[in-house]
Amino acid sequence: MRSASPFVIVNDVQQSVDYYQSVLGGKIKVLNKQEGKLLHAELHLGSSHIHFSDSYGKPQKAQHVQIILDCESEDELKQAYYSLSEKGTITVELQDTFFGALHGEVTDHLNQIGWVMNYFKR
């Protein structure tokens, strides 16, 4: 197996990739656009990516999606944490952990994705 990446179904791919790029950085790769609507795109973050797909009008199923962010610095983690929590819901307060990481968790307002963030203090 070469890799495994999250596949997230959303109602508006363009809005989703634009929002997450504004919070997390990275590069957007457009995969499929039809009649001006973005149907599939990837947000590339370091050596990984998140694939976003349009829901094609189907009702969203209640799914529990969480994405782990392994941050390169405390500042990077705090920027993502506070940006996502601005309109989202903090599920785990930012804290130093027994496993040697600064850790926090937020559920975003846009697609209800859970973001689990760690910065390991090496």
Side-chain angles (χ1 to χ4, degrees), residues 17-101:
V17 294
D18 288 345
Y19 173 68
Y20 297 123
Q21 183 186 44
S22 76
V23 171
L24 305 170
K27 294 186 184 214
I28 296 170
K29 180 178 180 183
V30 173
L31 300 176
N32 185 359
K33 211 170 194 177
Q34 194 171 38
E35 297 175 11
K37 184 175 182 178
L38 188 57
L39 299 175
H40 290 270
E42 293 173 347
L43 179 59
H44 289 252
L45 303 163
S47 62
S48 63
H49 70 274
I50 303 167
H51 183 101
F52 293 90
S53 172
D54 189 86
S55 65
Y56 295 95
K58 295 177 184 171
Q60 300 287 59
K61 296 178 185 174
Q63 297 180 356
H64 299 285
V65 175
Q66 291 188 310
I67 298 174
I68 294 177
L69 298 177
D70 183 13
C71 299
E72 291 188 47
S73 69
E74 191 169 317
D75 287 341
E76 183 181 58
L77 183 145
K78 286 181 178 179
Q79 187 277 328
Y81 179 85
Y82 291 121
S83 294
L84 289 166
S85 65
E86 192 172 300
K87 292 182 182 176
T89 304
I90 294 172
T91 53
V92 174
E93 292 285 338
L94 202 54
Q95 60 190 274
D96 288 313
T97 64
F98 68 92
F99 53 89

